[in-house]
Amino acid sequence: MAKFCSKCGNELKEGARFCSVCGNPVKQVQSAQSEATAGTNEERQGVSSQQQGFTAQDMQYQQMAGSAAPVKENKNLWMIAIPVAILVFLLVIFGIKGILSPAYLKPVKYMEKAINQQDINLLKKAVPDEYAEWMTDDLEDDMFDLDSDYKIKIKVTDKEKIAKKDLEETLIDDYYVLDSIAEDAKAGYILEAEATLKQDGEKDTQDITLVVVKVDGKWVIVSGL
């Protein structure tokens, strides 16, 4: 590329340090050009360095974001897996029926077990305390007047919830429940059930009606014994 003297405009020879016409030093022009070139190069290098730094930082953030996603997903999976594992464990240990069985059926199970095991103490758990006081050991033979080779099964087939506003009146007027129990009852169900007795290879089924109520946080049978 041709160079010219900054003073007189004469074309300079390659590598000349002074203008052959006016004697103006060429070094100043070259230095200025070198400095301008150097400044441009430094700016370019600075931009390049910033681009490289941004790219590296950006890549680092992307890697961090990319690695964080699976961790969050794994955490969510663990939060789901742990309750499921506990539920499966409970179902295996206690059985599906034991976990899902409504609380108001508990006294029915006590009664069934009491008859099969001829245990008056189990029967006391199925009734209000006022009824349990009447069940002395002397009555045990009369209450379980069956041979040892038998088994009873009580299956609830239908239920009707007693409206809370009618609960006390229904218990007293329709099922002759003690006033003190009816007044304290918080909820109640009328249960239709099938009582199946198996004995000596024979089976007999009868329809029965049981009334259960919740008194002092406990479900008990108040009618149908």
Side-chain angles (χ1 to χ4, degrees), residues 11 18 23-24 32 51 76 111 117 147 152 158-159 165 187 194 197-198 206 211 219 223:
E11 185 175 354
F18 297 94
N24 185 54
Q51 289 177 343
N76 290 338
M111 184 175 74
Q117 298 180 14
D147 295 332
I152 228 172
D158 197 9
K159 69 178 187 298
K165 62 182 181 64
E194 292 178 350
L197 175 64
K198 294 181 179 179
Q206 292 184 0
V211 180
W219 284 96
S223 179

Side-chain angles (χ1 to χ4, degrees), residues 20-40:
S20 60
V21 175
C22 67
N24 185 54
V26 179
K27 184 178 180 181
Q28 295 178 2
V29 177
Q30 291 177 337
S31 297
Q33 291 178 345
S34 299
E35 290 176 1
T37 304
T40 303

Side-chain angles (χ1 to χ4, degrees), residues 5-163:
C5 178
S6 61
K7 186 174 181 181
C8 67
N10 179 53
E11 185 175 354
L12 302 173
K13 293 182 180 181
E14 185 70 27
R17 299 180 62 186
F18 297 94
C19 177
S20 60
V21 175
C22 67
N24 185 54
V26 179
K27 184 178 180 181
Q28 295 178 2
V29 177
Q30 291 177 337
S31 297
Q33 291 178 345
S34 299
E35 290 176 1
T37 304
T40 303
N41 290 337
E42 289 177 357
E43 290 177 358
R44 289 177 180 174
Q45 290 177 359
V47 172
S48 177
S49 299
Q50 290 177 359
Q51 289 177 343
Q52 290 178 359
F54 175 77
T55 303
Q57 189 178 25
D58 186 53
M59 289 177 63
Q60 184 178 6
Y61 284 147
Q62 287 180 350
Q63 290 174 355
M64 290 174 64
S67 61
V71 172
K72 186 176 181 181
E73 183 179 353
N74 290 339
K75 185 178 179 181
N76 290 338
L77 288 175
W78 275 108
M79 290 175 66
I80 296 173
I82 291 174
V84 171
I86 293 173
L87 178 59
V88 171
F89 175 77
L90 292 175
L91 291 177
V92 171
I93 298 299
F94 298 104
I96 295 177
K97 207 169 183 183
I99 298 295
L100 304 179
S101 181
Y104 60 79
L105 292 181
K106 194 170 184 179
V108 180
K109 294 301 177 184
Y110 275 135
M111 184 175 74
E112 179 184 272
K113 196 179 284 188
I115 296 173
N116 287 327
Q117 298 180 14
Q118 299 188 24
D119 188 342
I120 197 171
N121 291 320
L122 279 176
L123 189 58
K124 289 178 180 180
K125 291 183 178 182
V127 300
D129 294 337
E130 290 89 339
Y131 291 8
E133 291 175 359
W134 302 340
M135 298 179 183
T136 62
D137 293 338
D138 296 336
L139 297 176
E140 188 166 0
D141 292 337
D142 296 332
M143 296 178 68
F144 302 113
D145 187 17
L146 293 168
D147 295 332
S148 58
D149 185 20
Y150 72 90
K151 184 176 182 180
I152 228 172
K153 179 71 176 178
I154 301 173
K155 180 182 178 182
V156 175
T157 57
D158 197 9
K159 69 178 187 298
E160 178 186 351
K161 187 173 184 178
I162 305 173

